[in-house]
């Protein structure tokens, strides 16, 4: 009667049959590349397997250890409960009384109850489960839900966590080991305490033998087999942690905690091959193109050799030091004249010759590293804790973790897809995503100033005076500290002349520049309107914004949006995504009406999410002329190294260097790929007077683009109608005669092209200003009395 009353009282508090019959196994957020390679899993690891795929020996191990009468009791083992209660009263351990079904009941519900209430409810709930589910269903659900430690829920996840294999590929001794961790998964697992875990494993094997589940031979072999469990990371196929975090943050804002348990699987726009190239390009570039050139900052510590064999102590000292980027922790074990030996965390000894040591002149400051070492003992000593890097030729080199940081982001001009993104040297070292962190772009912003000029009647052949310019206390200067007189806009952009850019901005005004730049995705509403340094890129923008803005130029002026998430799937199916804007080129298919919207499908785009035409934000002729001007940067300007190292005619771009310099940039593109590289310290500081956009970001950009474009045909920007070519004098921009020296063919919009009988006039732009003195007169008047200040360039 007491039992019946208790059951009637507790029954309404028990979960409904549907809640456990159709229980949904929590599945972590999975993030994939466009070609379905795993970037990351976020959440509890679980990889459910059906009953048919669970090895019988694994089931036997669990039953022997947890519930020997599993197949005979009705969900509750009265004898087991009585034995457990008797042991509790006597203060001795006679084993627990919970059956597998009761443990399953506990896992499915009652998380918020106290331990006594939970135990009372387990019994009637287990009886109900037993009536509703078969033994096969119970054991399958149990093995897929139970926690095995090391962040693994379920047997398949546990098999990967400890052994790096699916459950079907494990052996008897491993089944027993997994079973042994169930009573205390965190402290008893073979990674946390191998000796204790082995003892517990052997207890499980003994129980299996006593129940005649295994033979004597199988028992002895399993007991004598050393366990090989070790920590296995998630099966990451493509390293893109900054991408994974961007996806996680976006999804969390929309769906909250559900993203970690409801089977969210996200396909991104990331191309796995491009992402791996980007990882290498940025990581190696920060080390080789900047950090090593500025000297060796010294070792990370010293571990004095103790006793006759110091290796064990050194290995123990290395354990807490992680690999960061390319840099492996190591301890110097021997120092010769021009070579050293070092111990790695895995116990191996490596040799480093002089070619891997000779770079390590002592760091003095950002501009100095001296004197050059002549012998290895001037650099390190035995017992020093150092960093080492394996080079492409498999030889090892002395290294160090760069203090400098950077970002590389690559997008498609066709639709804004983010093809590759890396936001720093090492995500584990610093989670700040510099690809989405605004910093001043320097001269990388100038193309949008010159685009504004083209939209307001200027041409690439229009001239601007490269002469002293003063506004109050502000006097801009050129990088070379000289002046060139009247020069064309093409020449000014190609050679990144600062004074002409400021003068041009002064003529155009923020009321023309800001709306133009905003159409390309820049947040000009945050720009101060009366700051002339805006012409030189003094306002913060993101590398991602730069890549998209240049992609908009590449596709002929159609504004695409940065797109990272292409598809989201859950247990309930595919979640619809907003239509993606795509650039409509000459091979676009006809517009079709769908759901009241105009939807365009590019002939080159595979079936997938809906797309809409990208808005035309600038005359395609202006975009084409800007592209041709930035081609001159590659052929004759600060991007000449690109032209020397990549033999293609379809590359365009612009460097950027800020005052100090504190930031270095290069953003470049062809019709298929737009890539921006940013370099700088997280806390802005001078990088060294010799540094500029051409010294660090350009070679990183080359390392990336040279690989991703290898084997692809050259793809120029589409030339729109309404453009004409005219022969002009390169210096004056005036029409030239055939055979005249120093000439070039310049491209013009038809309405602005010079005729054979009429010279072009400079565009007249009237601006309201309190100073009506002409530029020339004003400059002559103010040159000697205005102070010189540092500016961005």
């Amino acid at each position: 009667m007491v039992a019946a009353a208790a059951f009637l009282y507790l029954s309404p508090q028990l979960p409904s049959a549907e809640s456990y019959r159709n229980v949904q196994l929590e599945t972590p957020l999975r993030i994939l590349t466009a070609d379905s390679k795993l970037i990351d899993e976020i959440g509890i690891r679980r990889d459910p397997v059906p009953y048919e795929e669970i090895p019988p020996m694994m089931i036997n191990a669990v039953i022997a250890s947890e519930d020997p009468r599993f197949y005979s009791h009705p969900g509750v083992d009265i004898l087991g409960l009585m034995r457990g209660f008797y042991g509790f009263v006597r203060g001795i351990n006679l084993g627990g009384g919970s059956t597998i079904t009761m443990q399953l009941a506990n896992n499915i519900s009652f998380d918020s109850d106290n331990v006594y209430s939970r135990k009372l409810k387990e019994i009637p709930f287990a009886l109900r489960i037993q009536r509703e589910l078969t033994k096969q269903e119970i054991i399958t659900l149990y093995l897929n839900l139970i926690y095995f430690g090391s962040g693994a829920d379920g047997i398949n996840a546990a098999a990967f966590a400890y052994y790096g294999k699916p459950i079907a590929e494990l052996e008897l001794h491993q089944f027993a080991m997994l079973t042994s961790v169930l009573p205390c998964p965190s402290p008893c697992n073979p990674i946390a305490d191998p000796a204790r875990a082995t003892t517990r494993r052997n207890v499980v094997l003994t129980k299996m033998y006593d129940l005649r589940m295994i033979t004597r031979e199988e028992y002895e072999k399993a007991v004598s087999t050393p366990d090989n469990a070790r920590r296995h990371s998630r099966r990451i196929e493509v390293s893109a942690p900054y991408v994974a975090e961007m996806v996680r943050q976006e999804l969390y804002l929309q769906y909250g905690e559900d993203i970690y348990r409801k089977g969210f699987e996200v396909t991104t726009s990331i191309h796995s091959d491009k992402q791996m190239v980007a990882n290498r390009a940025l990581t190696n570039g920060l080390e080789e193109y900047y950090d090593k050139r500025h000297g060796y900052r010294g070792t990370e510590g010293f571990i004095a050799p103790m006793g006759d064999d110091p290796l064990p102590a050194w290995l123990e000292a290395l354990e807490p030091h992680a690999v960061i980027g390319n840099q492996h922790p190591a301890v110097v074990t021997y120092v010769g004249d021009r070579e050293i030996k070092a111990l790695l965390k895995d116990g191996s000894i490596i040799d480093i010759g002089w070619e891997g040591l000779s770079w390590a002149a002592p760091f003095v400051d950002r501009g100095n590293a001296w004197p050059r070492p002549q012998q290895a003992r001037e650099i390190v000593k035995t017992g020093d804790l150092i960093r080492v890097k394996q080079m492409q030729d498999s030889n090892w080199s002395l290294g160090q973790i760069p203090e400098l940081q950077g970002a590389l982001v690559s997008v498609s001009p066709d639709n804004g897809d983010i093809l590759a993104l890396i936001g720093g040297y090492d995500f584990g070292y610093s989670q700040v995503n510099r690809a989405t962190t605004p910093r001043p772009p320097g001269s990388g912003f100038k193309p949008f100033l010159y685009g504004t000029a083209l939209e307001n009647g200027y041409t690439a052949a229009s001239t601007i005076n490269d002469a002293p310019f003063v506004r109050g206390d502000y006097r801009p200067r050129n990088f070379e500290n000289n002046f060139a007189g009247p020069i064309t806009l093409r020449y000014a952009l190609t050679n990144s002349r600062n004074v002409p850019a400021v003068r041009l901005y002064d003529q155009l005004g923020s009321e023309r520049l800001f709306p133009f730049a905003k159409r390309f995705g820049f947040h000009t509403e945050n720009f101060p309107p009366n700051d002339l340094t805006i012409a030189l890129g003094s306002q913060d923008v993101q590398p991602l914004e730069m890549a998209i803005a240049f992609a908009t130029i590449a596709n002929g002026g159609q504004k695409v949006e940065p797109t990272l998430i292409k598809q989201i799937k859950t247990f309930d199916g595919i979640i619809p995504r907003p239509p993606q804007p795509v650039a409509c080129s000459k091979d676009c298919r006809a517009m079709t009406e769908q759901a009241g919207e105009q939807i365009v499908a590019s002939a080159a785009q595979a079936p997938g999410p809906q797309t809409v035409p990208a808005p035309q934000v600038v005359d395609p002729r202006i975009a084409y002329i800007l592209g041709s001007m930035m081609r001159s940067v590659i052929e004759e300007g600060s991007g000449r190294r690109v032209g020397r190292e990549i033999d293609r005619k379809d590359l365009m771009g612009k460097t950027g260097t800020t005052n100090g310099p504190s930031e270095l940039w290069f953003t470049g593109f062809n019709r298929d790929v737009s890539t921006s590289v940013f370099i700088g310290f997280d806390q802005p500081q001078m990088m060294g007077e010799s540094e500029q956009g051409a010294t660090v970001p350009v070679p990183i950009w080359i390392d990336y683009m040279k690989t991703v474009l290898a084997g692809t045909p050259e793809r120029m920007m589409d030339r729109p109608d309404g453009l004409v070519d005219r022969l002009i004098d390169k210096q004056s921009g005036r029409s030239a005669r055939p055979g005249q020296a120093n000439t070039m063919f310049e491209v013009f919009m038809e309405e602005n092209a010079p005729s054979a009988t009429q010279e072009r006039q400079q565009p007249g732009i009237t601006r309201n200003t309190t100073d009506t003195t002409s530029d020339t007169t004003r400059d002559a008047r103010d040159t000697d009395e205005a102070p010189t200040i540092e500016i961005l360039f």
Side-chain angles (χ1 to χ4, degrees):
M1 290 174 64
V2 171
F7 183 84
L8 290 174
Y9 171 74
L10 293 173
S11 184
Q13 303 178 39
L14 302 179
S16 64
E18 287 302 311
S19 68
Y20 56 85
R21 178 180 290 280
N22 300 316
V23 65
Q24 243 179 18
L25 299 176
E26 291 185 10
T27 303
L29 167 64
R30 288 172 53 84
I31 302 170
L32 309 175
T33 63
D35 48 343
S36 301
K37 293 184 178 179
L38 182 64
I39 292 175
D40 203 358
E41 285 182 351
I42 304 175
I44 295 294
R45 280 185 282 186
R46 182 180 277 120
D47 190 5
V49 288
Y51 178 83
E52 295 75 17
E53 295 180 17
I54 301 174
M57 201 63 77
M58 179 70 212
I59 295 175
N60 288 342
V62 171
I63 289 175
S65 175
E66 299 296 309
D67 190 359
R69 285 185 288 276
F70 172 71
Y71 288 110
S72 59
H73 63 65
V76 176
D77 186 354
I78 301 300
L79 292 177
L81 287 174
M82 293 176 62
R83 183 182 67 249
F85 181 74
Y86 178 75
F88 174 74
V89 172
R90 295 291 304 275
I92 56 178
N93 183 13
L94 297 178
S98 290
T99 64
I100 286 176
T101 312
M102 291 172 66
Q103 292 180 50
L104 175 61
N106 182 43
N107 269 272
I108 291 175
S109 193
F110 314 133
D111 288 341
S112 60
D113 292 347
N114 63 53
V115 62
Y116 299 108
S117 175
R118 192 165 61 241
K119 280 292 181 185
L120 284 173
K121 291 180 181 179
E122 276 180 18
I123 296 173
F125 192 19
L127 294 172
R128 175 180 288 181
I129 290 175
Q130 187 70 48
R131 291 198 307 270
E132 297 288 339
L133 302 181
T134 67
K135 292 289 186 181
Q136 286 187 1
E137 291 173 324
I138 291 171
I139 194 68
T140 302
L141 199 54
Y142 174 82
L143 289 175
N144 280 311
L145 279 174
I146 200 73
Y147 183 59
F148 284 85
S150 291
D153 276 10
I155 51 171
N156 216 31
F160 275 106
Y162 293 113
Y163 300 108
K165 299 177 181 179
I167 188 67
E169 296 180 14
L170 299 191
E171 299 177 7
L172 173 60
H173 68 95
Q174 294 165 324
F175 296 143
M177 179 62 81
L178 292 180
T179 302
S180 73
V181 308
L182 292 177
C184 51
S186 294
C188 301
N189 71 63
I191 295 174
D193 193 336
R196 183 182 182 186
T198 299
T199 300
R200 295 176 62 85
R201 178 200 71 174
N202 292 344
V203 170
V204 174
L205 290 168
T206 300
K207 290 180 177 180
M208 294 181 72
Y209 176 70
D210 291 343
L211 292 172
R212 300 182 179 180
M213 291 177 172
I214 56 175
T215 65
R216 183 73 186 178
E217 183 181 356
E218 289 173 323
Y219 168 78
E220 291 178 350
K221 179 182 178 183
V223 167
S224 63
T225 302
D227 188 70
N228 60 343
R230 63 181 179 84
R231 191 179 304 279
H232 287 78
S233 61
R234 302 174 191 266
R235 293 162 282 168
I236 304 302
E237 296 175 277
V238 177
S239 176
Y242 292 98
V243 169
E245 181 60 13
M246 289 173 68
V247 171
R248 188 199 68 80
Q249 289 181 11
E250 182 175 340
L251 292 182
Y252 190 84
L253 288 175
Q254 298 179 64
Y255 306 106
E257 295 290 333
D258 284 350
I259 65 174
Y260 304 127
R261 53 177 179 258
K262 290 198 172 179
F264 275 71
E265 183 175 277
V266 178
T267 300
T268 68
S269 56
I270 297 296
H271 289 200
S272 58
D273 54 345
K274 292 181 176 65
Q275 181 64 42
M276 290 187 282
V277 174
N279 293 345
R280 290 194 301 270
L282 183 69
T283 305
N284 289 330
L286 290 172
E287 296 166 344
E288 303 298 325
Y289 300 134
Y290 182 86
D291 200 61
K292 280 188 174 181
R293 293 196 292 108
H294 288 262
Y296 186 51
R297 295 184 297 277
T299 64
E300 294 188 4
F302 176 73
I303 304 133
M306 303 290 290
D308 295 334
D309 184 11
L311 292 185
W314 282 341
L315 282 172
E316 183 179 354
L318 284 172
E319 187 58 33
H321 296 275
V323 177
I324 298 175
N326 293 323
Q327 304 296 324
H328 296 253
V331 174
V332 178
T333 62
Y334 165 80
V335 180
D337 289 339
R338 289 198 160 197
E339 72 279 346
I340 67 172
K341 295 181 183 295
L343 173 70
L344 299 180
K345 286 182 70 171
D346 63 3
S348 60
I349 302 289
I350 60 170
D351 297 308
I352 302 178
W354 189 242
E355 63 278 5
L357 297 169
S358 58
W359 67 270
F363 171 84
V364 177
D365 55 41
R366 298 295 175 204
N368 295 284
W370 62 276
R372 287 291 174 187
Q374 302 302 312
Q375 290 186 315
R377 66 171 177 266
E378 299 172 25
I379 306 169
V380 295
K381 61 183 178 294
T382 300
D384 275 344
L385 178 61
I386 61 173
R387 292 281 173 171
V388 296
K389 171 187 176 181
Q390 191 166 28
M391 308 300 286
Q392 289 186 349
D393 60 3
S394 297
N395 290 324
W396 288 86
S397 171
L398 179 67
Q400 61 188 357
I401 300 169
E403 295 179 333
L404 189 72
Q405 284 287 354
L408 185 155
V409 57
S410 186
V411 303
S412 167
D414 286 326
N415 55 14
D417 278 359
I418 299 175
L419 307 175
L421 184 147
I422 175 171
Y425 178 73
D426 183 281
F427 184 80
Y429 188 61
S430 171
Q431 289 78 49
V432 176
N433 188 349
R434 295 146 193 96
T436 56
T437 301
R439 296 290 290 267
S443 293
F445 186 72
K446 286 178 182 175
F448 306 97
L449 170 66
Y450 288 93
T452 306
L454 295 175
E455 192 172 69
N456 285 275
Y458 290 75
T459 74
S462 297
T463 56
I464 191 82
N465 197 16
D466 184 5
F469 177 96
V470 176
R471 281 291 184 274
D473 290 338
Y474 177 54
R475 173 186 284 176
R477 63 182 177 87
N478 293 313
F479 181 76
E480 299 84 355
N481 283 316
N482 62 7
F483 300 97
I487 57 175
T488 64
L489 297 194
R490 179 181 291 273
Y491 182 91
L493 180 62
T494 297
N495 293 279
S496 203
R497 305 293 289 183
N498 292 326
V499 178
V502 173
R503 178 172 275 111
L504 183 62
Y505 178 45
D506 185 55
Q507 293 175 5
L508 293 167
S510 60
E511 65 272 16
R512 292 183 177 85
L513 174 61
F514 288 8
F516 183 87
K518 188 177 182 66
R519 283 180 258 151
F520 287 81
F522 297 115
H523 297 284
T524 55
E525 65 273 13
N526 301 322
F527 291 8
N530 299 316
D531 185 355
L532 289 173
T533 64
I534 289 173
L536 308 179
S538 63
Q539 299 304 302
D540 292 348
V541 300
Q542 300 175 6
L544 178 56
E545 292 172 345
M546 288 289 283
I548 287 292
F550 278 66
T552 300
I553 296 173
N555 68 31
Q558 300 172 80
K559 177 61 170 65
V560 291
E561 298 297 331
T563 302
L564 182 58
I565 296 176
K566 300 291 284 186
Q567 185 184 80
I568 303 173
K569 289 196 300 186
T570 70
F571 290 137
D572 300 323
I574 296 176
I575 297 177
R577 300 287 296 165
Q580 181 179 4
V582 297
C584 187
S585 57
K586 292 178 181 179
D587 60 350
C588 274
R589 295 177 182 172
M591 301 291 184
T592 58
E593 288 292 325
Q594 294 182 15
E597 289 185 290
Q598 282 193 317
I599 306 299
V600 64
S602 172
Q605 184 156 342
Q610 279 190 337
T611 58
V612 295
Q616 188 76 46
V617 297
V618 69
D619 190 321
R621 299 177 299 168
I622 292 175
Y624 184 86
I625 295 172
L626 273 179
S628 77
M629 293 169 73
M630 284 189 277
R631 176 61 194 166
S632 295
V633 174
I634 303 299
E635 292 178 337
E636 305 172 11
S638 54
R640 288 189 301 274
R641 182 169 177 175
V642 174
R644 291 197 303 267
E645 297 195 25
I646 306 180
D647 185 19
R648 299 175 68 104
K649 304 300 182 185
D650 60 343
L651 300 178
M652 294 146 273
K654 185 69 188 77
T655 55
T657 308
T658 63
N659 188 42
S662 297
E663 291 89 8
L664 307 176
W665 294 73
F666 184 72
T667 307
F669 60 93
N670 74 348
R671 182 57 186 82
D672 292 323
V673 184
S674 173
T675 302
S676 186
V677 176
F678 158 78
I679 302 297
F681 292 97
D682 285 342
Q683 297 299 321
Q685 57 182 282
M686 290 184 62
M687 299 171 62
E689 292 183 0
S690 64
E691 302 297 348
Q692 52 182 300
T695 60
V696 185
V698 164
I700 292 174
W701 188 93
I702 290 171
D703 288 347
Y704 172 76
M705 292 289 279
K706 189 173 186 178
T707 302
V708 301
L709 294 178
T712 64
E714 292 187 5
R715 191 177 176 202
M716 308 291 188
M717 292 177 61
D718 296 329
R719 178 168 173 139
D721 297 332
L723 293 174
V724 294
D725 296 324
R726 294 288 186 266
L727 187 67
I728 66 165
D729 182 273
K730 292 178 69 173
Q731 183 171 353
S732 69
R734 296 178 179 274
S735 296
R737 299 182 305 276
Q740 182 178 322
N742 197 33
T743 60
M744 64 171 289
F745 279 100
E746 184 58 88
V747 59
F748 296 88
M749 291 190 283
E750 284 181 335
E751 61 270 28
N752 295 332
S755 66
T757 59
Q758 183 179 6
E759 283 293 341
R760 290 174 294 104
Q761 299 295 318
Q762 292 292 97
I765 295 181
T766 303
R767 298 191 58 220
N768 294 325
T769 175
T770 57
D771 187 349
T772 56
T773 309
S774 70
D775 283 336
T776 303
T777 305
R778 186 187 305 116
D779 290 340
R781 182 192 69 196
D782 293 343
T783 295
D784 295 329
E785 59 188 45
T788 300
I789 67 168
E790 293 294 320
I791 59 98
L792 294 159
F793 59 105

